[in-house]
Amino acid sequence: MKPGLTRAINPHLLTGAHALGALPDAERAEFEAHLGRCRGCTDEMTGLRKTAAWLGNAVDHVYPHALRSRVLDAVRHVRQVPPTLENVTVFSRRQGFRRATVLISAACVVTAAVAGAHSALTASTFTPMAVSARTHVGDLLSAPDLRLLTARDQAGTAVMSYSRDEMLFLADDLSALPRDRVYQL
């Protein structure tokens, strides 16, 4: 690269070096011309100069003036570390719509499952019965794993106990049948 030409393609990357006075004269002149046109770089330069001044005041001893030129000469011989590349996944619009469709479908399935579970849990009702604990029905109703299931619009309740391996069906408002007919469950 010829001396005097800007090393950085993007002049916005030179704000830190300019704030510290580390640009060669040709690059400094080019960058200062850029500062007149770029408000963002001007604001950044103001902040960087203030920070450099605060850091300079925090130093407890002063380095010799010739040290700066020696460091800048040595830096020219130091090889820079190559930039790291970031892997960025870019999705097309079609892939984005496909993902959105899948997510919306999954949300609908979850909503339906929650609504169904809520409906099943709130549909059961318990109708208290006065039963003596000494009867077979009373013994079943006092089982520790008793489950009551009632359909929403039906007049019956199923009482189940898995530990006893028994089930009882209770019905309300069944019409009386003639003697030759029976209800079957």
Side-chain angles (χ1 to χ4, degrees):
M1 179 173 282
K2 293 183 182 177
L5 294 178
T6 304
R7 290 184 197 147
I9 295 172
N10 187 350
H12 304 287
L13 300 176
L14 298 175
T15 54
H18 185 269
L20 297 174
L23 288 178
D25 292 337
E27 288 183 10
R28 183 180 42 78
E30 285 182 40
F31 183 73
E32 287 175 355
H34 168 76
L35 278 177
R37 299 183 308 268
C38 183
R39 177 74 178 159
C41 286
T42 304
D43 292 343
E44 186 175 355
M45 283 294 305
T46 303
L48 289 172
R49 283 187 175 153
K50 287 180 184 177
T51 303
W54 289 332
L55 290 173
N57 290 335
V59 174
D60 61 348
H61 58 282
V62 179
Y63 294 99
H65 183 66
L67 181 63
R68 179 180 182 272
S69 60
R70 285 195 321 236
V71 169
L72 290 177
D73 287 339
V75 166
R76 289 187 185 128
H77 302 291
V78 175
R79 186 173 177 194
Q80 287 187 343
V81 176
T84 59
L85 298 176
E86 294 182 20
N87 290 332
V88 178
T89 305
V90 178
F91 295 106
S92 68
R93 181 175 280 177
R94 178 179 286 163
Q95 287 171 322
F97 285 135
R98 192 174 299 141
R99 285 177 181 250
T101 302
V102 168
L103 289 174
I104 290 170
S105 298
C108 289
V109 168
V110 169
T111 302
V114 168
H118 176 68
S119 174
L121 292 174
T122 58
S124 298
T125 59
F126 177 69
T127 306
M129 281 180 46
V131 177
S132 170
R134 295 187 185 134
T135 65
H136 187 75
V137 173
D139 194 28
L140 175 63
L141 292 176
S142 64
D145 65 334
L146 182 72
R147 286 193 58 180
L148 298 173
L149 299 169
T150 303
R152 186 178 298 255
D153 296 327
Q154 302 298 321
T157 302
V159 180
M160 296 184 301
S161 170
Y162 288 109
S163 64
R164 295 177 51 108
D165 197 24
E166 291 182 336
M167 179 179 150
L168 173 68
F169 182 74
L170 305 170
D172 292 332
D173 300 327
L174 290 178
S175 56
L177 294 177
R179 289 200 169 274
D180 60 334
R181 303 269 181 177
V182 293
Y183 284 105
Q184 289 186 345
L185 178 65

